[in-house]
Amino acid sequence: MIAFLSLSSCGNKKTEEDITDSTIIENTATLSDAQIKNAGIQTGKIVQKEISETLKLNGKIDVPPQNLVSISVPMGGYLKSTSLLEGMHVTKGEILCVVEDQQYIQLQEDYLLAKAKIVYAKAEFERQKELNLSKASSDKVYQKTQAEYNSLSVIVQSYGEKLKLAGINPNNVVANGISKSINVYSPISGFISKVNVNTGKYVNPSDVLFEIVNPSDIHLALTIFEKDINKLAIDQSVLTYTNSNPEKKYHCTIILIGKDFTENGSAEMHCHFDNYDKTLLPGMYMNAEIELKSQLSNVLPSDAIVSYENKNYVFVAKQNNKFEMKKVTIGNAENGFTEILSDDLNQASIVIKGAYSLLMKFKNIED
């Protein structure tokens, strides 16, 4: 091995290979003055600089219950017509679709018949009431007519509410205007987010035909952890982007920070979009970055830190041209400097230039 290293040193003038004839004992390497000069090695110490921290979060788009409406037909039926497509805008009171079924004919018929009967029942009740006052009619007959009138009143009221549930105005139901179809109206203004039906399909009362989103209060729900909650505040700015298009950024503002933590120590934080984009739909996953306040930190030039086997290292200069490869924990990076979280290097002399040449030295020996 010594002979091989000596030949390599004599036969190659490159910087990385020029220092391969030095000695490594465990994690320490010894270089000659010439090797140090050829590798361009310079040393320095940890300094303090202002470094801003970026908090990275993820979550999904959400809307409050009153701004997301699922449209269904309480009594079911066949979808006669609709022209809706996902992404279309609708206004409150606009016809979304037309549904038809025989049961709507039956319901209107029952309502009109009950109304016709109650006219006679009311007149008979009033007549028996007058007769009973003069004792020309027995209490039994009077009470019977009263019960019949009250029963029909309940039936008429019940049919009226069923008509309203079906989307039919009871006041508009007349004998020569019975219809087999009903109109389904939009309860809010917004965008169609889902269309689950097609013309001619039979829909059950539990089926969701459409979903409408009111974008006036659409927001982003992000997952935060207990250790980060004190770093955040209401009205703080948030930069978000989707996985499919990370280049397009959306600006948000924090409107609510949850205090109810789950078992894994996480809570929800809600952010409002400064400008709504209708391509952002409820349930869509997003990433977020929040720039926190700058703080004074121990830093080194980023070139002083080398990465090897998913770990970060620096090289500490010792006496007699010795260099120790030491693992470090790093934090945030900004403007060419990286935060050093390890607290045992404050007074050390560290290689700030030529660190990768030293790394090649260690790698070559291991190989």
Side-chain angles (χ1 to χ4, degrees):
M1 176 63 76
I2 294 173
F4 174 78
L5 294 176
S6 299
L7 289 173
S8 298
S9 175
C10 296
N12 199 325
K13 300 299 182 181
K14 292 184 179 179
T15 299
E16 291 81 7
E17 297 178 356
D18 188 48
I19 64 175
T20 57
D21 61 341
S22 59
T23 303
I24 287 184
I25 302 176
E26 295 183 352
N27 62 335
T28 303
T30 302
L31 277 66
S32 67
D33 292 337
Q35 291 170 336
I36 293 174
K37 181 178 180 180
N38 291 338
I41 294 174
Q42 297 181 19
T43 60
K45 292 187 177 182
I46 287 178
V47 297
Q48 288 195 324
K49 286 184 176 292
E50 291 281 345
I51 295 289
S52 60
E53 180 182 356
T54 300
L55 182 62
K56 295 184 177 182
L57 305 171
N58 55 68
K60 62 181 181 179
I61 297 175
D62 196 10
V63 291
Q66 67 270 21
N67 284 54
L68 176 61
V69 179
S70 297
I71 305 298
S72 59
V73 181
M75 296 184 66
Y78 293 92
L79 188 69
K80 182 180 180 180
S81 63
T82 184
S83 59
L84 296 182
L85 296 173
E86 291 185 6
M88 291 179 64
H89 183 270
V90 294
T91 55
K92 183 177 181 179
E94 181 179 341
I95 296 176
L96 301 177
C97 64
V98 178
V99 177
E100 63 181 16
D101 197 86
Q102 183 179 352
Q103 62 181 320
Y104 299 120
I105 300 175
Q106 187 65 50
L107 180 58
Q108 293 169 82
E109 177 186 339
D110 293 341
Y111 176 70
L112 291 174
L113 291 176
K115 282 189 67 177
K117 290 179 181 179
I118 201 173
V119 173
Y120 171 77
K122 183 178 181 181
E124 181 63 16
F125 167 67
E126 294 294 341
R127 189 173 71 84
Q128 291 296 331
K129 183 178 180 180
E130 292 294 332
L131 292 173
N132 185 258
L133 289 174
S134 62
K135 300 301 179 179
S137 175
S138 65
D139 291 342
K140 182 178 180 180
V141 174
Y142 167 66
Q143 291 170 357
K144 182 180 179 181
T145 55
Q146 183 182 30
E148 290 177 353
Y149 172 65
N150 290 339
S151 297
L152 285 171
S153 296
V154 171
I155 293 174
V156 170
Q157 182 68 22
S158 175
Y159 282 140
E161 291 303 315
K162 287 181 180 179
L163 288 170
K164 292 178 183 178
L165 184 64
I168 302 173
N169 187 346
N171 297 325
N172 297 334
V173 177
V174 292
N176 59 352
I178 294 178
S179 175
K180 64 180 179 179
S181 61
I182 62 168
N183 296 328
V184 179
Y185 300 93
S186 176
I188 62 171
S189 296
F191 293 93
I192 302 295
S193 60
K194 287 185 180 179
V195 177
N196 300 322
V197 291
N198 53 269
T199 303
K201 182 178 180 179
Y202 182 84
V203 293
N204 295 301
S206 59
D207 293 341
V208 176
L209 281 64
F210 314 100
E211 284 189 2
I212 305 175
V213 176
N214 182 353
S216 63
D217 198 23
I218 194 169
H219 58 263
L220 178 62
L222 297 172
T223 301
I224 58 173
F225 291 93
E226 189 175 357
K227 64 182 180 64
D228 298 320
I229 193 168
N230 292 328
K231 303 175 184 178
L232 304 169
I234 302 298
D235 295 331
Q236 199 167 357
S237 296
V238 180
L239 196 65
T240 68
Y241 53 92
T242 62
N243 290 328
S244 59
N245 189 9
E247 301 299 323
K248 188 173 183 179
K249 309 294 183 182
Y250 303 91
H251 294 273
C252 299
T253 303
I254 298 175
I255 59 173
L256 177 66
I257 300 175
K259 305 296 183 182
D260 186 15
F261 291 95
T262 61
E263 293 181 357
N264 65 350
S266 65
E268 274 198 347
M269 179 178 70
H270 296 272
C271 308
H272 195 275
F273 287 92
D274 295 347
N275 294 297
Y276 171 69
D277 188 331
K278 66 180 181 180
T279 61
L280 301 177
L281 301 176
M284 184 179 291
Y285 287 91
M286 298 195 76
N287 302 304
E289 295 180 355
I290 305 175
E291 187 172 330
L292 306 177
K293 293 182 179 179
S294 300
Q295 59 182 6
L296 199 63
S297 305
N298 292 331
V299 300
L300 281 173
S302 298
D303 291 341
I305 302 162
V306 296
S307 179
Y308 181 56
E309 294 183 345
N310 297 321
K311 296 179 181 178
N312 297 297
Y313 297 90
V314 297
F315 292 96
V316 180
K318 303 289 186 179
Q319 295 180 349
N320 301 322
N321 294 347
K322 291 183 179 180
F323 297 90
E324 179 186 0
M325 187 175 180
K326 190 173 183 63
K327 187 172 69 173
V328 294
T329 303
I330 64 173
N332 300 295
E334 186 178 36
N335 299 326
F337 288 89
T338 299
E339 184 181 11
I340 303 298
L341 302 179
S342 304
D343 56 2
D344 57 345
L345 298 172
N346 291 340
Q347 302 302 321
S349 180
I350 299 171
V351 174
I352 58 176
K353 287 188 177 180
Y356 272 97
S357 295
L358 282 172
L359 179 63
M360 293 301 103
K361 158 73 174 172
F362 280 84
K363 289 179 67 176
N364 287 337
I365 293 299
E366 290 178 2
D367 293 341

